[in-house]
Amino acid sequence: MKHSSPIKPQFFITHPQPCAYLPDRYERKIFTKLEPDNGDVLNNNLSKQGFRRSQNILYRPACKSCNSCFSARIKVSNFSYSKSQKRIKNKNKNVHRRVNNAWATEEQFELFKKYLNHRHSGGGMTEMEVYEFAAMIEETSVYSKVIEYTSGSPSKLQLLGASLTDILDDGISLVYSFFDPDLPLQSLGTNIILDHVEYAKELNLPYVYLGYWVPGSKKMEYKSKFNGLEIYYEKKWQAFDIKNQHISKLSNEETIRNQVANLQLPEDFSRV
């Protein structure tokens, strides 16, 4: 269903479907399409307003009776390692980052399938074929990289993890990351985020975007463990305080039309 609005581009709303994070709830998203001539501009702009990218779609939760999804990012200047995170970095001192252009490989796909079958069995992505994986990585109109994490000698590297990462004008955004589930003691998922903080420092970018934090969801609990976390709430980024989880109980009463009308788009967007 399309909602007419004087704002370009056009925004749409999905039909309600069972929530993947909280029981007995239904999710709904507002979304827009990224076009080849405006992808980077729109991705940069709407990421600052709580949107996330999935291939050539930008979306944000717009549920009728729930406001439990909060876009989360790490403010790099406020980040500091916890004792457990220091131990994780030490465990992975022989794991190395390799930044590649957005190009899919069979090795990545095999690790991706292994990760999904172990961590998200029964989910929709487990049915993805290699060509669909390649499309997820390669078919994009934004500035994106595949960041691989490897160990071993240069002649015999082992792929331990990877992240599809967008390079924004104010940070880097982990679109989708996956890792070897057979190495739980290495905490590879946490290590990928910690290394992205270091990568953002190297690029002199202030934020690392993590996606959505959902209070009450064990799948998303790990995001609350990073210092310097901010969440997008009441149309602005605010320092995260886990004690204020009452905010998740508020209903989203703003209409879709108003949500679209209140988006802040570049003044010259129509000419991009």
Side-chain angles (χ1 to χ4, degrees):
M1 180 180 180
K2 183 173 74 176
H3 290 260
S4 60
S5 168
I7 299 176
K8 298 294 182 180
Q10 292 181 315
F11 288 83
F12 304 83
I13 189 77
T14 64
H15 290 290
Q17 58 184 353
C19 179
Y21 302 109
L22 297 173
D24 303 320
R25 301 198 194 185
Y26 285 82
E27 67 177 23
R28 191 178 64 167
K29 298 183 179 76
I30 182 174
F31 69 95
T32 189
K33 186 178 180 181
L34 291 168
E35 301 293 348
D37 58 348
N38 69 20
D40 271 326
V41 172
L42 200 57
N43 195 31
N44 284 323
N45 183 270
L46 291 182
S47 291
K48 298 181 182 72
Q49 299 175 71
F51 279 72
R52 291 286 292 165
R53 182 175 78 84
S54 177
Q55 288 186 254
N56 287 318
I57 295 294
L58 285 174
Y59 69 92
R60 188 174 73 182
C63 306
K64 277 188 175 181
S65 58
C66 179
N67 191 29
S68 293
C69 293
F70 301 94
S71 189
R73 69 185 185 184
I74 296 171
K75 187 173 183 178
V76 174
S77 61
N78 288 348
F79 174 79
S80 61
Y81 285 88
S82 66
K83 290 182 179 179
S84 63
Q85 289 167 348
K86 288 179 180 178
R87 289 194 293 268
I88 289 170
K89 286 300 291 182
N90 188 57
K91 288 179 183 177
N92 291 280
K93 61 184 177 182
N94 293 321
V95 176
H96 303 288
R97 179 205 316 148
R98 185 168 63 182
V99 180
N100 306 305
N101 290 329
W103 189 257
T105 67
E106 290 186 8
E107 186 180 23
Q108 292 168 8
F109 178 67
E110 290 174 2
L111 182 59
F112 172 76
K113 293 289 285 186
K114 181 179 180 181
Y115 168 81
L116 288 178
N117 289 332
H118 188 276
R119 299 289 294 262
H120 302 285
S121 60
M125 296 183 77
T126 57
E127 303 299 322
M128 286 180 69
E129 300 290 344
V130 65
Y131 68 90
E132 294 172 306
F133 174 76
M136 181 180 79
I137 300 294
E138 300 170 12
E139 294 181 9
T140 178
S141 58
V142 307
Y143 183 30
S144 191
K145 297 288 185 180
V146 175
I147 302 180
E148 295 183 330
Y149 293 90
T150 62
S151 66
S153 64
S155 61
K156 196 175 181 180
L157 288 176
Q158 178 185 2
L159 182 64
L160 301 181
S163 175
L164 176 62
T165 301
D166 288 350
I167 312 299
L168 305 174
D169 59 5
D170 73 338
I172 55 180
S173 176
L174 290 90
V175 177
Y176 198 86
S177 61
F178 52 95
F179 50 86
D180 192 338
D182 291 338
L183 301 171
L185 296 180
Q186 281 194 239
S187 302
L188 290 169
T190 296
N191 185 66
I192 288 174
I193 295 175
L194 294 175
D195 185 72
H196 272 64
V197 173
E198 297 302 325
Y199 187 42
K201 289 180 182 178
E202 294 171 17
L203 297 176
N204 199 29
L205 293 171
Y207 300 107
V208 175
Y209 288 83
L210 301 180
Y212 292 108
W213 170 67
V214 185
S217 171
K218 290 186 177 180
K219 292 180 181 179
M220 297 296 178
E221 187 178 31
Y222 69 93
K223 296 178 183 179
S224 65
K225 297 179 180 179
F226 292 88
N227 291 325
L229 195 71
E230 297 182 341
I231 59 171
Y232 191 76
Y233 175 56
E234 294 184 332
K235 299 183 179 66
K236 61 183 178 181
W237 290 96
Q238 304 184 40
F240 172 78
D241 183 355
I242 199 168
K243 295 179 181 179
N244 289 333
Q245 290 194 23
H246 68 275
I247 59 179
S248 68
K249 299 178 181 178
L250 298 178
S251 297
N252 191 351
E253 300 295 340
E254 189 175 27
T255 66
I256 297 299
R257 184 180 298 275
N258 285 344
Q259 288 186 53
V260 173
N262 289 331
L263 291 173
Q264 301 297 313
L265 295 175
E267 293 181 1
D268 60 347
F269 184 81
S270 61
R271 298 194 294 274
V272 174

